[in-house]
Amino acid sequence: MNSIRIYILFLFFGFGVHNVQSQSYHFKTSGFSVLEKTERGKWGKWSDLDLVNLSVVLDTDKHRIVVYSQEIQLYNILDYIEREENETDIVYSFMCKDNDGRECKLSIITRKKQDYRKQLYINYDDHIIVYNLFMV
């Protein structure tokens, strides 16, 4: 009977004291491209894809997305936009402020019909940056 009490005590202690970990998602990039508005305010053409190997972290505990490029890009999440899904894509979007205090919208898009390829879009009023992502 005494051993059962000790077992229950350890079981209770094990459930009562557990580590709470933040939810963070780690990605690597394989390339990026940029789209800019022309002087007339119309969207130009996407730049050629540049190969780049960077780390990207979505940290929902700290409410931020970090792109570890030569100059670290820090995006503080202001609002989590409801998940969208359609026949071709799954989209998680976030309204953010960057290092300079500029508002932008970041979206992680999973392309269902492209072997579930992931992309990160960083949308500003005058330009868009896209990174091809894969989970690590």
Side-chain angles (χ1 to χ4, degrees), residues 84-90 110-114 116:
E84 298 175 40
E85 184 170 356
N86 59 40
E87 203 174 283
T88 59
D89 300 320
I90 302 169
T110 302
R111 306 288 184 187
K112 292 180 183 178
K113 294 187 176 182
Q114 298 177 19
Y116 289 85

Side-chain angles (χ1 to χ4, degrees), residues 7 45 58 72 80 85-86 108 112 121:
Y7 177 74
K45 294 183 180 181
L58 163 60
I72 293 177
Y80 294 80
E85 184 170 356
N86 59 40
I108 297 175
K112 292 180 183 178
Y121 282 81

Side-chain angles (χ1 to χ4, degrees), residues 14-15 21 26 30 44-45 48 56 72 75-76 95 99 102 105-106 110 119 134:
F15 283 124
Q21 296 192 4
H26 297 265
S30 60
K45 294 183 180 181
D48 291 336
V56 176
I72 293 177
Y75 301 95
N76 289 306
M95 290 307 300
N99 299 12
R102 292 179 62 195
K105 180 180 177 183
L106 276 69
T110 302
Q119 294 181 302
F134 58 93

